[in-house]
Amino acid sequence: MKTDQAMPPRYVYGSLDSTNEEAKRLAAQGAPHGTVVTADMQTAGKGRRGRSWVSPPGTNIYFTLIVRPEFAPEKASMLTLVAAHALTRGIARETGLAPGIKWPNDLVIDGKKVCGILTEMSVEQGVIRHVVIGAGINVREQSFPAELADRAVSLDAACGARVDRERLLDAVLEAFKEDYEEFCRTGSLASIRDSYDRLLVNRDREVCVLEPGGEYRGISRGITDTGELRVELPDGRIRLVFAGEVSVRGIYGYV
Ligand code: BTN
């Protein structure tokens, strides 16, 4: 492990179980706001909904950022959308690519996933202790696991050039800092909402909302100021979709 001397600290590992897990350990020991944890590979990378995140060495970016917001825990779920927006901008700045967002927080290029985000929060007595925001970005061309092969893509493949992982991480962290500060200043997603909506890959298209209790279809109409997806039902009513155990798909598949 090597720790850069600049503040806030950046912990750079060759191998970790999971950058989110290490970030939580460091946060519990008092690591300051803005601490970044990266690993070249993860042995137990975590995805959303208990899935694993395959994390081979020398290929991708796996990082987690520790933030210590002062807002109420109810607002923390919006950080995932802030992160998705920032990652999209950071990737665009560094690569010239134009990733879209599959609500709430998958980044996609040409209908294939290029980045996933996992946000975890620690709350004590109704107060946020810390939030860790982890992201995995597919950078190098690679053979994805069979179940992902037709719906994952790497940045190198998408732009036909070798992307510099360190520069990309810096660009993403800078974009996040900007969006995070704006989010804390306004307390809502209002200031990035239009921009986020423009990046939504399913905007104004029919989607299938898969909830634990069943599924329904509607037209995706963008997000609210608090991050719910607005889905227009066949009778014209708008139904708000809350992130969590819900999955929103295009009617023909992943996007
Ligand atoms: C998803 O399911 O789309 C979220 C994937 C998040 C993966 C990243 S890789 C870095 C960080 N550490 C983890 O264990 N998970 C996140």
Side-chain angles (χ1 to χ4, degrees), residues 15-86:
S15 175
L16 273 178
D17 51 353
S18 151
T19 56
N20 270 31
E21 291 304 312
E22 179 65 5
K24 286 191 279 183
R25 291 187 286 264
L26 290 166
Q29 293 161 19
H33 173 90
T35 298
V36 176
V37 180
T38 71
D40 187 53
M41 65 173 282
Q42 300 180 116
T43 55
K46 304 193 308 176
R48 292 173 70 210
R49 299 198 201 98
R51 297 196 189 110
S52 58
W53 186 260
V54 178
S55 309
T59 46
N60 300 321
I61 291 177
Y62 318 109
F63 80 93
T64 301
L65 179 64
I66 298 171
V67 293
R68 295 187 179 277
E70 291 181 355
F71 49 71
E74 297 72 45
K75 293 197 169 180
S77 63
M78 288 187 258
L79 282 176
T80 308
L81 283 82
V82 173
H85 184 258

Side-chain angles (χ1 to χ4, degrees), residues 123-184:
V123 178
E124 259 175 42
Q125 296 176 334
V127 175
I128 296 179
R129 301 280 301 163
H130 58 258
V131 180
V132 301
I133 304 168
I137 309 174
N138 302 330
V139 180
R140 302 275 172 258
E141 289 196 64
Q142 60 203 276
S143 49
F144 291 102
E147 68 276 14
L148 298 178
D150 60 345
R151 58 186 181 92
V153 69
S154 69
L155 293 177
D156 281 5
C159 71
R162 195 174 169 85
V163 172
D164 184 309
R165 287 189 291 168
E166 282 185 21
R167 284 181 44 159
L168 177 61
L169 179 60
D170 286 345
V172 160
L173 291 172
E174 190 181 310
F176 181 81
K177 189 168 182 289
E178 294 160 6
D179 286 349
Y180 180 83
E181 282 171 4
E182 185 64 9
F183 175 65
C184 289

